[in-house]
Amino acid sequence: MVPGIAGWLGRRLDTDALNRLAGWSSSQQVHRADTERPTPGSFTATGGEQLDEDELHVAVVGNLDWLSVEYADVHTKRGAAASVCAAYRALGARLLDVIGGRFAIALWDQRERSGFVAVDRFGLLPVYWSTSKDSAVVFGPTAAAVSALTARPPRLRPQGIFNYLFFHMVPGPDTVFEGIHKLAAAHVLDFDDKGPRVRRYWEPAFREQADTSLRDASEEMLGLLSSSVDRL
């Protein structure tokens, strides 16, 4: 079982689509009273922690590590989904600038008729996506889940097969399936009436001039390695 969230952005689901989503939820042992039978809407998701608040719809899975005390406090008091809502109201999509940790987030703004799906800076919780026949975005934690939700028979990509045999993996953002993509680390999939667009929201900053000496940096690294092993 792969932890994650799955669903649609920008589409009112028909009964068959809802059944497919509920079926995936059941197969992944996602047991939430409010997601076992999703309700139709422009945003429909299952899995993770969810919240509908003032025309904002959010689904979050993983562990958010807020770089802002304000939203960390909301997280502690009201939960991860509520903290995402609070940050979005203040910062819009720039909320991703102040989130660390291991996560996948899906958000839909009903008022603006737009939304996004994002993964953490290191892509620790995978998100795969595709588009449906009516141009909605379908997302899930595995390529197989997206294929099942779109109800399209999976078609293998010759290049994807070659990549797997050559690299023993399929480098993202491609997958072994036609029309299904992997959201790369530190990337977000924006969606509105213009369609889906993928962009990078964060990249590491490298400085040639360090603020500490090599000796101090070495001691800090050894300390971090020791503490990380102690937590295992």
Side-chain angles (χ1 to χ4, degrees):
M1 181 179 67
V2 179
I5 49 179
W8 279 264
L9 285 178
R11 176 188 174 191
R12 297 190 67 83
L13 301 188
D14 54 32
T15 301
D16 290 340
L18 288 169
N19 287 337
R20 291 196 299 274
L21 188 56
W24 179 86
S25 173
S26 176
S27 70
Q28 297 299 299
Q29 300 178 2
V30 176
H31 296 300
R32 286 174 53 87
D34 57 344
T35 59
E36 287 180 354
R37 188 70 175 183
T39 56
S42 297
F43 172 83
T44 308
T46 188
E49 178 183 330
Q50 299 192 31
L51 180 67
D52 295 334
E53 186 176 86
D54 297 332
E55 300 193 14
L56 288 182
H57 312 279
V58 176
V60 183
V61 67
N63 302 295
L64 301 183
D65 183 8
W66 286 101
L67 308 179
S68 163
V69 175
E70 177 182 357
Y71 305 123
D73 185 57
V74 177
H75 188 171
T76 301
K77 294 178 179 178
R78 298 182 54 210
S83 66
V84 171
C85 283
Y88 177 81
R89 289 194 182 92
L91 304 173
R94 291 186 297 108
L95 70 91
L96 297 169
D97 296 341
V98 294
I99 300 181
R102 170 179 175 267
F103 64 83
I105 297 173
L107 180 146
W108 180 256
D109 185 334
Q110 184 67 26
R111 185 177 291 107
E112 298 294 330
R113 302 292 300 168
S114 64
F116 66 81
V117 183
V119 293
D120 62 75
R121 297 179 178 186
F122 296 97
L124 298 176
L125 284 181
V127 170
Y128 293 81
W129 69 278
S130 184
T131 53
S132 61
K133 294 180 180 179
D134 55 1
S135 299
V137 166
V138 184
F139 60 92
T142 65
V146 173
S147 178
L149 293 177
T150 58
R152 291 196 301 259
R155 295 176 53 190
L156 295 176
R157 294 175 58 250
Q159 184 63 46
I161 297 173
F162 174 84
N163 289 344
Y164 180 78
L165 294 175
F166 188 83
F167 298 110
H168 302 286
M169 61 171 294
V170 182
D174 295 325
T175 69
V176 75
F177 298 113
E178 291 280 0
I180 298 179
H181 317 281
K182 183 177 183 180
L183 197 56
H187 279 68
V188 56
L189 171 67
D190 295 313
F191 182 79
D192 56 22
D193 57 3
K194 297 178 182 178
R197 299 174 305 283
V198 176
R199 61 179 174 85
R200 175 185 287 273
Y201 68 83
W202 176 84
E203 58 184 339
F206 298 98
R207 295 178 298 171
E208 294 186 7
Q209 300 297 324
D211 296 331
T212 58
S213 67
L214 179 60
R215 178 187 293 274
D216 291 340
S218 299
E219 292 179 355
E220 181 183 5
M221 184 187 72
L222 290 174
L224 291 171
L225 287 173
S226 177
S227 62
S228 65
V229 171
D230 290 341
R231 289 196 296 267
L232 296 179

